[in-house]
Amino acid sequence: MAGGTFGRIAGLSGSLAVGLGAYGAHGFRRSDRDDYLKELFETANKYHFLHSLALLGVPHCRKPLLAGTLLTSGMAMFCGSLYYQAITGDPTLTKAAPLAGTLLIVGWAAMAL
């Protein structure tokens, strides 16, 4: 059951990544934001796409609930904090990025269990 749920989350997350990617390419990229904020947005979108795809593999691992929870939490925290800073210019939430990155790493490792 957990595996199917993460497959659905992967679909929703992937569609959100496409939408944000389109915004980044056609709206945000052409804004007057500085290059650093544009780079943050691109990094968030790249990790968002990659980990949405990784979630598709979660139903096929031995511990789907563990791996899926770690990957989903890490992706939301990491990408969310970078998207937030890129859009608002406020770096407050990027303090969560190291923890979120650790969740992503452990999530990938959990897929190997």
Side-chain angles (χ1 to χ4, degrees), residues 53-96:
L53 291 172
L55 283 174
L56 291 173
V58 165
H60 305 289
C61 70
R62 290 177 48 197
K63 304 227 182 236
L65 185 59
L66 176 64
T69 300
L70 290 167
L71 286 172
T72 303
S73 300
M75 181 174 54
M77 289 172 60
F78 185 80
C79 299
S81 66
L82 294 185
Y83 281 136
Y84 177 79
Q85 183 179 355
I87 292 170
T88 66
D90 179 10
T92 305
L93 295 181
T94 54
K95 293 175 184 169

Side-chain angles (χ1 to χ4, degrees), residues 2-22:
T5 300
F6 288 109
R8 288 185 194 90
I9 291 171
L12 291 171
S13 179
S15 65
L16 182 60
V18 170
L20 287 168

